[in-house]
Amino acid sequence: MPRTKSAPKQEPTLPLPPTEGGPPPLVAIIGRPNVGKSTLFNKILGAKIAIVDDIPGVTRDRNYADATYRNRKFRLVDTGGLDLSSSDSMLTLIRRQSELAITEADILMVLLDGRSGLTPPDDEVVRLLRGVTKPLFYVINKIDTPKSEPLLADFYKLGADELYPISAEHGLGVAELLDAIYPLLPSVDETDVPPLPRVAVVGRPNVGKSTLVNALLGEERVVVSNVPGTTRDPIDSLVTHQDQRYVFTDTAGIRRRGKIDRGVEGYSVLRSLRAIGRSDIGVLLLDGVEGVTEQDTKIAGAILKQGRACILLINKWDLRDGDTQARQEYELELRRRLSFLTWAPILYGSALKPDSVHRLFPLLKDVHAMFTKRVPTGALNTWLQKILDTHPLPARKHKPSAVTKSAYITQVATKPPVFALFVGHPEDLTPSYLKYLENQLRETYQFTGTPLRLMVRKK
């Protein structure tokens, strides 16, 4: 689809071009509600990352994702709809998120609905951008046939040097739009950069997940409201602490299956579970006042099932500081209800208190180190022989020495650590003995905060 030009145009330049090796430029998609921002976001990425629905205001937070076009990298931002005239509390929060995205972005895509024409809310959005000196691309959506092109006439009054007609749903014109942005994207050498530790903040609705992420960032990165279910898309945020960078994912609250509405909320919960799977560590927020619920145990079980490391953060603990017996009673309940996560460290605090945030980072560093730890095979077999000297493998035909000599162990994977134990007769090993070996591995090599997997194979 050809781009529509109204005047000669100079190539735009970034106000502050990213330096080589620095973060990729930020490209934000902004516009009033329900013009197709999330659809365009998904089309550029080639995956359904953002939730798309016909209900205005589905995207509430800034949703970030890494993208590549013709071997040049950028970071794409999907924003909540800008409705500057609305006084509704949730739409006001969405507007605030969009304004923050405009402030931090390097390049702005202003998305407008070609079928609706230029509406008063569009005029307000454009007026908000009048003083912005960053590169602006006016993108007219829903121009999906040649018969639709006359609809562009209404948008010439914007005074833009160039309009970019597209169909986000069908992908028409998207390549031409990216070609226009391409000169603004820095060319960087392809280098092997180790992946950053990923941390998913999970829990029931309204336990303080978004509040914690905002405290980690020191800004209103995600919408915080006392309305359960405010966060719908998993939101990635980059956090740096003492030269160590982490990617935090704020997820939608996971309710009991019977209470999950079909549609948007169902997709939100599914993506929260997927966010756990693509993370290294799950920070499970629990309510220090309400105690441990059945739903908390199910979310903890999802973390374990997907083999992720885990930290238990007991939020709102500042409300119980005066109760001297509270911590002991809560921990007893925690160990009873989450008996399968006895290896997960516990942090008591408040997402609103800076001290709690500062104490979380050392735990994250230690847990991630254990999650990715690899023990040399020689050291493992020396450890195993010492174990077998005092607690031999179950004997077969009363020949413990032969069984012991045939045992061999090696680590075969990390994230989480996985060990293969080779013995002559795997069927003789009992679950209790394997649990004993796992506990000894944890104690000897300090595997805190991470699940361990012990596979038995016939030698």
Side-chain angles (χ1 to χ4, degrees):
M1 182 180 296
R3 290 172 290 181
T4 302
K5 298 184 179 180
S6 58
K9 177 174 177 289
Q10 295 181 343
E11 287 291 348
T13 56
L14 288 176
L16 293 172
T19 57
E20 187 171 348
L26 224 56
V27 181
I29 305 172
I30 63 171
R32 64 178 173 82
N34 212 31
V35 293
K37 295 184 297 298
S38 294
T39 303
L40 178 59
F41 182 82
N42 289 338
K43 183 61 67 175
I44 291 174
L45 295 174
K48 292 184 178 180
I49 304 298
I51 297 173
V52 178
D53 199 287
D54 289 334
I55 304 169
V58 167
T59 301
R60 299 178 175 184
D61 303 301
R62 286 169 285 161
N63 193 358
Y64 291 61
D66 292 318
T68 302
Y69 184 67
R70 291 166 55 188
N71 295 322
R72 294 192 180 183
K73 297 180 180 180
F74 60 98
R75 195 150 174 77
L76 194 62
V77 189
D78 181 21
T79 64
L82 272 171
D83 187 351
L84 303 181
S85 61
S86 174
S87 59
D88 179 80
S89 59
M90 181 57 69
L91 289 181
T92 301
L93 290 170
I94 295 172
R95 181 179 64 195
R96 172 63 178 155
Q97 287 300 305
S98 298
E99 290 170 345
L100 288 170
I102 292 171
T103 301
E104 70 176 352
D106 299 302
I107 302 168
L108 294 164
M109 293 183 187
V110 184
L111 195 62
L112 303 160
D113 189 328
R115 293 178 186 171
S116 301
L118 200 59
T119 65
D122 291 327
D123 289 331
E124 293 184 32
V125 173
V126 173
R127 193 178 302 116
L128 180 69
L129 296 168
R130 288 299 184 196
V132 175
T133 58
K134 300 172 182 179
L136 290 172
F137 293 82
Y138 287 95
V139 184
I140 317 304
N141 192 22
K142 304 179 184 179
I143 307 297
D144 46 12
T145 67
K147 293 181 179 180
S148 303
E149 291 187 11
L151 298 175
L152 294 171
D154 193 32
F155 297 92
Y156 289 141
K157 64 181 69 174
L158 292 172
D161 293 328
E162 194 164 354
L163 301 177
Y164 295 87
I166 69 164
S167 170
E169 183 176 359
H170 303 293
L172 300 174
V174 175
E176 288 82 354
L177 171 63
L178 294 175
D179 283 339
I181 294 173
Y182 179 79
L184 303 178
L185 307 178
S187 177
V188 295
D189 295 332
E190 293 294 328
T191 56
D192 293 327
V193 179
L196 299 178
R198 299 188 67 94
V199 183
V201 181
V202 297
R204 294 183 286 116
N206 216 29
V207 293
K209 299 182 295 298
S210 297
T211 302
L212 175 63
V213 173
N214 285 339
L216 291 165
L217 290 163
E219 62 164 315
E220 292 181 26
R221 168 65 179 81
V222 292
V223 172
V224 178
S225 170
N226 59 4
V227 179
T230 299
T231 301
R232 289 177 170 176
D233 283 325
I235 306 300
D236 286 350
S237 304
L238 185 64
V239 179
T240 303
H241 179 77
Q242 294 182 353
D243 297 328
Q244 172 63 60
R245 298 196 298 167
Y246 300 87
V247 177
F248 278 85
T249 305
D250 180 29
T251 64
I254 303 174
R255 296 200 291 171
R256 283 166 40 194
R257 182 174 297 179
K259 292 189 175 182
I260 296 174
D261 297 329
R262 297 182 65 181
V264 170
E265 186 184 4
Y267 285 120
S268 297
V269 171
L270 177 61
R271 291 183 182 184
S272 294
L273 295 174
R274 288 179 180 172
I276 295 172
R278 66 186 175 92
S279 296
D280 299 312
I281 304 170
V283 175
L284 175 56
L285 257 68
L286 302 165
D287 194 307
V289 178
E290 292 183 14
V292 185
T293 68
E294 183 67 23
Q295 185 60 14
D296 291 327
T297 65
K298 291 181 178 179
I299 300 171
I303 295 173
L304 178 64
K305 184 177 181 180
Q306 299 194 62
R308 303 300 91 187
C310 184
I311 295 173
L312 305 176
L313 199 163
I314 317 304
N315 194 24
K316 307 177 185 177
W317 197 253
D318 53 325
L319 302 177
R320 302 187 67 178
D321 273 344
D323 189 344
T324 56
Q325 297 295 320
R327 180 171 297 195
Q328 183 178 0
E329 293 171 358
Y330 196 99
E331 191 158 336
L332 285 173
E333 181 187 11
L334 202 60
R335 294 311 185 193
R336 179 179 65 84
R337 300 293 294 269
L338 304 181
S339 58
F340 50 89
L341 284 184
T342 54
W343 41 264
I346 304 171
L347 177 63
Y348 293 87
S350 169
L352 294 171
K353 304 290 183 181
D355 178 60
S356 301
V357 173
H358 295 318
R359 287 187 290 125
L360 177 60
F361 282 107
L363 269 181
L364 289 171
K365 183 178 181 180
D366 293 343
V367 167
H368 187 261
M370 294 301 102
F371 187 62
T372 58
K373 184 173 183 175
R374 185 175 290 276
V375 183
T377 299
L380 276 174
N381 282 281
T382 300
W383 164 84
L384 179 61
Q385 290 305 316
K386 290 181 180 178
I387 293 293
L388 297 179
D389 288 342
T390 54
H391 292 80
L393 294 173
R396 185 173 183 84
K397 296 182 180 179
H398 307 289
K399 295 180 180 180
S401 60
V403 175
T404 299
K405 290 178 181 179
S406 68
Y408 174 82
I409 189 171
T410 186
Q411 185 173 353
V412 295
T414 61
K415 295 186 174 185
V418 181
F419 301 88
L421 176 64
F422 296 88
V423 296
H425 301 279
E427 66 275 9
D428 290 342
L429 294 187
T430 62
S432 60
Y433 191 85
L434 292 176
K435 188 64 177 177
Y436 167 74
L437 288 180
E438 178 186 331
N439 290 337
Q440 292 301 308
L441 270 173
R442 289 189 182 282
E443 183 178 338
T444 303
Y445 294 105
Q446 304 298 311
F447 280 113
T448 303
T450 179
L452 298 182
R453 291 177 177 170
L454 188 60
M455 305 183 301
V456 182
R457 297 288 183 264
K458 183 175 178 61
K459 189 175 180 181

